[in-house]
Amino acid sequence: MILMNAANEKVVVTLDQLRAYCEHLGEKGLCTFNEYACALTGGGLVSAAIFVVLMGALAYLFYKKEGALNWCDRNLTYAFVIVWILGFVVYDVGMYPDHSVKENAFWALLGVAPMAVIHAFGMFILQSDVSAIHDGCHNSAWFMFFFSIAHLLAAFISMVFVIKHFGFNIVAHVIRVYKTYFWPKEKENLYIFWGMNDATYYLAKDIINPKDSNNTHPDARIMIIRVNNAKEDPNKRIGMDRLFSFLSLSNNNLDNLQELQKMGCLTNSTFGSLTDIQASNKNDLIKRELRLNSVAKLMNRTTGKVHMFFLDDNEAFNLQAIGNLKRDTTINRFINEGDRKVIFYCHARHNSIHRVIEDEPSHQNIEVKVIDSSHLSVEQLKLPENIYLQPVRYVDIEDDATVSSAFKALVIGFSEVGLDMVRFLYEFGAFVKYKKKDENAPKNQNVTAEGTEENPVDRSDFHCYVVDKEMNSLSGSFVSKTPSINVAINPTSEQEYQDALISLHHIDCKSAEFYRKVENWLPTVNYIVLATGDDELNMSQAIRLFKLAIRYNNTSRLRIMVRVQNDENGHFQRIAHHYNRLWAAERRSTPKENKMNQKVIHASTEINSPITLFGSAEKIYTFDHIINESLKESAKKFREKYDNSLNNHLKEMNEEPNEIISWEEEQNRAMQLVDNEYKNFSPTYSGIMGLRRKQSQNYANSLHIKTKVVLACTALKIDANLGLCGLIRQGETTYKWDGENNPLPIETVQRVMDVLAQTEHLRWVATHEIHGYQIDNDNPKSKDEARLFQRYMCNWNKLTPRERSYDYNTIDVSFQEAKLINEPNQ
């Protein structure tokens, strides 16, 4: 222990010496060691109490009063500089050697200035060196007042900084303990997010306040767990820099967590790893390894489902963490008590490798759902409200619902989003090609079971240019998986372009070669997709193509789709609106104004064409898409109506109806999970492939409804709200009016329905082609799910009336869903 003697010199003493000195003072009646110890203890307790109260007041002020936090955040640097200057002056004056000597005062102050600089910085780490101050200043009440104020302000600034960067964990812990152990109400649903990012923020926010008011979940609890998702290095498990890096928060994450906390979310942190765990701890991961007792406590207070989200960009972490948690004792105890279920949501590419975690059997009350953000960003473009972004809006529709113009697209980037966009455009861009009147009208009465009709139904003109600087390594997988599609790789002649529906080009989108090709493509291209994986590059390229389109594009129907995952503060959206206004204003200028001025489009008007942003995390991660699985529910509804409609027609023809099973029953049968002779045995590859093909077609059928409605309404020149009420199908392919009030000639309607059925068949063939199916040339009538053979992948003219009736049935159900025609029972 270091003390100061009367000569202001430092003296090192031991505790025994201090005790003996205190006993000496006690003998003189001045002080006892016990009294001294009590004074120290009392002073320490009071200081600790003041510190706790002050920290609590600061925490409350910052997390309940947003204005205070914002003010401190804006002015913390200025406050630091001012307090540091005050501390420097105080120490510089206090260390002045002799205040009685006035000569050379300036040089004396300058001589101690370096040490004053050091002491001024030391104030902010709560260091006070009063021994450096001379006696003259010790006896000055004013000097000691400024000395104390400087250190108090420095301590205050340091505490503000600590609370700003680390205090959230303290406040979150207090709230979590209170709501977990002192107010643990039972809830039906528990949502646990493992990791904090934009996906977590948007989904958690939408669970609390969903955009769709029908999806409110008042009986739910949300917890966000900050996890360590990095690969562990056994040699670097401990380190203050690593600890501070984990406990501190970025400004964006801190703001998001604070907002969610105010909305009722609980937060927690775990320094343990979900992936690098010892084998002996695998069965008790939540409690023993991660020490998340609050999670176990909240699970015990959940009566329905526990939803666990792994939405990190690190797919390997998500998959391995879920694999470990599926064996956790806390989770298995939860699912074995009552009718309770755990659902894992895993962000990963929805491919054959990652889907194993969905198919892998574990427990009937454990379900794993793979969330593919790239796939979902494209699936959203198929929604009815986005019909203006679909190929049907970029072709010329004739009076019989055929298409007379070509659909040509340019896709830049061929990784996940680009690949899914090519699939989407290839399938939804399949239309019946326009021919001279009645030339391709089907003559059903002349079609035999062998299909001898000699009038093929052709697909309308289509071409998709795909560009990627890594195309040589990406094209092989695509070409090998699509043997039925004529794909041109780096074509050099016009004939190669004409023979292929899709052309793949190994070109950097920033190269001169790319722009030379674009000049040839732009005059006929009416749909452009930017999906390079870089938001900045996507937007910059979109603007360049926008400018080139003004020079070379000869059609008013142009759409430039830009994948933007993160658009903080709407920066990219404002750029898009700016150039869209220029595009619209350019077309509103009159000849008199000579395109130099216009007075139709206002400077603040928000226009969404031709540049359109898509695929943002905010639009993908919603309660409706992720948890409610709205796309799946629509597919299930379409399948149910399709089966019922088909059976109604079979009954009308006095045929035995088909067995109707639910979506879940069909899946359980394919996965061999039902109670029969196949239960607990492995499903076959053919069974799984057949199940996925059927389910994907129900998804496509439900999403293609609006395209069929647009074709019908455009061809027949009717309002979708008016529809075709009273139109019914009799037999397999023939329609009639139910009653005498016929708004349109039945021949005209029949022709359109024929073309729509042909369109549906072309769409069905296209989606099978893009997913690798083909006809077995050795046995054209064969059907093999494992070898990807489909007998119906032939031209419409080779189908029998019964086989065609399935396409007509799809049209009927689509129109019923769109309320274009009445359902049979109405």
Side-chain angles (χ1 to χ4, degrees), residues 578-595:
H578 170 72
Y579 284 98
N580 288 342
R581 281 193 295 269
L582 297 181
W583 177 276
E586 182 76 9
R587 282 156 173 72
R588 296 302 190 277
S589 178
T590 64
K592 180 180 178 181
E593 293 163 333
N594 197 26
K595 292 191 175 183

Side-chain angles (χ1 to χ4, degrees), residues 2-3 17 183 219 224 269 275 334 408 513 574 620 627 663 736 760 798:
I2 300 176
L3 299 177
Q17 291 174 327
W183 198 0
D219 195 24
I224 299 172
S269 300
T275 54
F334 172 82
K408 292 192 176 182
E513 181 184 3
R574 287 192 294 272
I620 293 173
I627 300 170
W663 180 286
K736 70 174 184 178
E760 169 56 22
K798 295 183 179 180

Side-chain angles (χ1 to χ4, degrees), residues 774-782 787-791:
Q774 59 182 324
I775 290 180
D776 186 358
N777 294 325
D778 297 330
N779 185 9
K781 298 295 183 181
S782 68
R787 300 172 65 191
L788 302 183
F789 289 146
Q790 267 294 331
R791 59 172 295 189

Side-chain angles (χ1 to χ4, degrees), residues 52-69:
V52 170
V53 171
L54 183 59
M55 289 290 288
L58 286 174
Y60 174 82
L61 183 67
F62 289 157
Y63 289 100
K64 291 296 183 181
K65 306 295 182 182
E66 296 182 7
L69 181 61

